[in-house]
Structures are given as structure tokens and as C-alpha cells.
Amino acid sequence: MLHGLMMDYPLTLDVIVEHARRMTPRKTIKTKLPDGAWHEYDYAEFYRRVKKLGNALAALGVEPGDRVGTFAWNTFEHLELYFGIPGAGAVAHTLNIRLSPEQLKFIINHAEDKAIFVDGTLLPLLEPIAAELETVERFVVFNCDQRQAVNLPNATHYEDLMAEASEDFEWRCTDEDMALGLCYTSGTTGMPKGVLYSHRSMMLHTLGVMQAAALGPTEADVVLPVVPQFHAMAWGLPYACAWVGATIIMPGRHLQPAPLAEMIEGERVTIAAGVPTIWNGLYHELRRNPRDISSIAQLVVGGSAMPRGLIEAYERDFNVNVAHAWGMTEMSPIGSVSKLQTRHSDLDEAGRWDIKAKQGYFVPGVDARIVDDDGREVAWDGETMGELQVRGYWVARQYYKLEHDHEHFTDDGWFRTGDVVTIDADGYMTITDRTKDLVKSGGEWISSVDLENRLMSHPDVLEAAVIAIADETWGERPLAVQVPLEGSCDEQALNAWLLERFPKFWLPDRYVAVDEIPKTGVGKMDKKALRQMFADGELDPHPKPSAP
Ligand code: ADP
């Protein structure tokens, strides 16, 4: 064998910050502070602070390999932690601020976090459990008034640490296989499981995100990651933006539709990324109270299916292009993106929206196959459903501390996504369900996702979820839970609307109207909670789901 003669230039995160410092030092990073004012600095200052943070971490006793938690909104300090912790050779463990105290305790103790950096506006969520965190030696508080009382043991203020630290720091991420980050799945379908990213996997993922075929941010972009930094590494945007030198707008805790609309208009945002719930809320806000969002070139949406009706509405009413993406925490997270390609140029309008509502083509670097119940690969014909399995440069090969896991990883090296999909001959993937959410009626599959999307495109429906309820005759039957846009929805009309697309046996046996659909910590419809409310218990005609 003849080996190539090219450098083994390491795939480590310091490469990104060094590049940004030299190439785009005057580009800016802006953060909306708790009081609504803006904080702004440039990449040159960002670089200096990341280096100071390296020294500050060392002063705290953080060693390479240690896990360091972050409990925060999207802010400039959280961005510094995204680079500073891995730069110090440690592992940035992004904690989901919306988890229950029980889940948080479990995750922090499981990860054995040595220190936690916490946003001052979120102290009340962490303080009550601090005594039960077995391994945490230090808390560091930021994004708040330095004089604010802190009820945590061994707490320091971030800016005090930074003030003492020197800018002269030598990167400690010396090996591309070192762990860089740890993110637990949001637990939509079970207990949270830890995904441990390496420098190598994250650098390759970042290059993947930078492809035009993926999200493709450039220096000219103004990027608003609404997707939280604790949700699957904010879909890789912080790293991709820093590498290309894009302007970053961090929304802090201002995630409600009205402030988001103002940020997009005021900052002339070109790429904004978030889950469908966020864009659904923004759409209705803009209809009530119009703002100019025409600067947006790509409204990136993922995390759960974006209803086709909403994709259409953004394009029709605001001329905004929606990029529908699919991913998983286990995939760093980008897996596929739905953008139109030249081969779609002869499609009519309806056909184009059909394409954009799919989860799309796999980003180069991700390989996929569909497998049936017997483990056999099935055809990419756009009709045959099966479980999606993936492999690639940025796909997990094991969960943290969970060895010999044959439930999630196959013997021949693929990750079992738990998503049920079809893929057409052009490689376009459509998620029809999660294996755990499918409704099986009389031996036939009914796709809860298809029913939900159709229901949500009805003009009287704001949101809808479909779950399976046990049925003596059929095994399972669908139950629809909907939030009416105003007043109530007519069930006959909803049935007629569904019948235009689906066979009669797909029609829900029951409809239940609620004020709100419960959401998980990352804003997905919480079907586990819905099942507990309806399927497992007595059907209550006037349920009151708890706030997300
Ligand atoms: P969790 O697995 O706990 O929900 P993740 O955020 O990692 O946490 O979720 C990944 C899952 O989210 C995917 O397996 C898929 O079911 C769903 N998902 C992500 N993006 C989309 C999308 N665009 N359309 C439909 N489902 C999606």
C-alpha cells in the first residue's frame, strides 16, 4: 500500500477560534441581555475572553477530560464556554434548563460534572437541587448583577474569574479524539442518554453544516440561533458561524414571538433556526402585528416535523424560504435537509411544497438505510416504510457509560434512529413516525405524523397531536388532541378534511380540545405526557395540561 503524503492537521476546536481571530476579528457577536439591552463585542475580544476562560478553568482545577456543565440561555458567555471548555481539554456538558429536577440530578450525577456555569437568571432552577449534586465542586454564575445573592455552595462570579485570568493560554485540546461535548437526549422516548462528541466528530460536523447543501452560513450572514445551546449543540451553528465569521445574534431568554420578530427586523437576520413551535408562534404574531422579516434567506426548522401548511404560509405570506432539517442529538445533530434542487425545477407549486415538507436528502457525510422488522434492507421507492439506520463521521457509536447496547446500535456498525421513514428514488426522506409513536390498528400502520400535519393545516387548528389508545377490537386506534385557533373545532369538518387525504380507517376515534399541548424540554409535543393523560388513564373531556 502507498500512503498519501498529506499533513495530519488535527481536527481540534482551537483551529476555529484561531481562524476567526485572523480572518474576521471585527465581525460582531450580539446578545440580548436580561433587561432587553444589547451586549456587543467583536471576534477579537471574543478570542481574548476564550483564552482567559482557559486559564480560569485551570485555576478552578478543571483538568482535561473533566465534565463541566453549562446551564444557560444562548448568550455570549455561553458561546465562550462552548469554545473555552473544550479548548481547556475539558468536556462542555450542556444542561437542558427545562428538565425536571429529577432528570437534572440524574444527568449531572451520571456525567459527574466537576463544575457548573450557571446563568444568573436561572438560579432558582438549580439552587434547590444543589445539595444533591454529588460531584460538583464549584458553581460559576454569569449574565446577572454581580451583587445578586447566590444560594449555591462554592459559587463565584464569572466576571471575577475572567478579571483575574491572563490572556496567555496554551490550548489543551491536543488530540482530535478527545471528548469535546456531552449532550443528553431530551428523553422524548425514554430516560436521557448521554452523547459524547469528540473534537474530530464536531469539526467534521461543522464542515458538514457549512456545506451549501446543509445550512451553509457565510461571512455575510446574520445568524439568530433560537434553538437553545442546550439542544443538540444549537445544531452546530455556533461552531459553523465562528469558522466562517458570520454575525451572531444571541437572543438570551427573549424567546417569545414578539421579541423574536423585533430582533429579526431590527438586526436584519438572514438565517434563523428553531423548532416548529417557535415558528408557528412567530407566524401568528406577524399576522396580528406585522414586521418586516424579508431579510431572512433561510428559516431553518427541525427537531420535529414542520407542517407543510406552515411552510407554505411563510412562503406565501412573507416570501420567506423554509429549510426543513432533520437531525438527532446522536448525530451532532444534522442528518438531512430539504432544499429544492435543480431536478425539482419542473415541479408545480404544490409539488415543490411537498418536497420541502419532507425531511430531505442526507447531508454528504451521512449514510442511511431503511430496515424492516426482520432486519432486511428495504427499497427506496417512496412507499415502503421501515426503521431508519444511519452511520457517518458525526454519528454516535455508543452512549456514555452504556456499553454492549444492541438495542440502539447494530452489530454491523449502524445507529438505529427509532424513526420510521420512507425514502424515494431521489434520496428524499420522509419521517412517517417514531417507532414508539406509530398507531397499529387491525395490523395496519397509521402515521400519527401524517395525521397531525394534515390537522394542523386546517384553518381552525393551531396545534394537533395524535396518539394511540388501546382498543379491544383493533388493538390501537388514533386519538387526536387539538388546540383550536379560536373557540372550538367542528369534528365533522376535521374528519372531512382528513378524508381528502387518508383512508377512512385512519380517522381518529376521538377528538379532544385542549388549551395547550404539553411540550418536552426542547419544545416537542410530549407524547409520553399525552399518553399518560389520555391513553393510560380515564379520558377526561376537559383536561388541563401543565405548562411546558
Ligand atoms: P429526543 O430523541 O429526545 O426527542 P432529539 O432532539 O435528539 O431528542 O430528537 C431527535 C428526533 O426528533 C428524531 O429522531 C426525530 O424523531 C425527531 N425529528 C427531528 N427533526 C425532525 C423533523 N424535521 N421532522 C420530524 N421529526 C424530526
Side-chain angles (χ1 to χ4, degrees), residues 185-188 231 302-305 324-330 359 417 419 431 434 524:
T185 60
S186 59
T188 312
H231 183 194
S304 42
H324 190 197
W326 165 84
M328 300 185 75
T329 304
E330 292 86 339
Q359 279 69 23
T417 64
D419 284 328
I431 297 203
R434 288 190 116 175
K524 301 185 192 204

Side-chain angles (χ1 to χ4, degrees), residues 205 208-209 211-215 235 298 300-304 323-328 331-339 341 355-368 380 388 390-391 394-395 417 419 421-423 427-431:
H205 179 259
V209 170
Q211 300 175 76
L215 308 187
W235 303 347
Q298 267 194 88
V300 180
V301 58
S304 42
H324 190 197
W326 165 84
M328 300 185 75
M331 302 182 67
S332 308
I334 302 288
S336 69
V337 180
S338 196
K339 290 186 179 176
Q341 301 196 326
I355 291 284
K356 292 181 78 171
K358 291 180 185 230
Q359 279 69 23
Y361 49 79
F362 297 95
V363 167
V366 173
D367 190 13
W380 289 20
L388 177 68
V390 292
R391 63 181 180 187
W394 48 83
V395 181
T417 64
D419 284 328
V421 308
T422 62
I423 305 180
Y428 267 67
M429 189 254 293
T430 306
I431 297 203

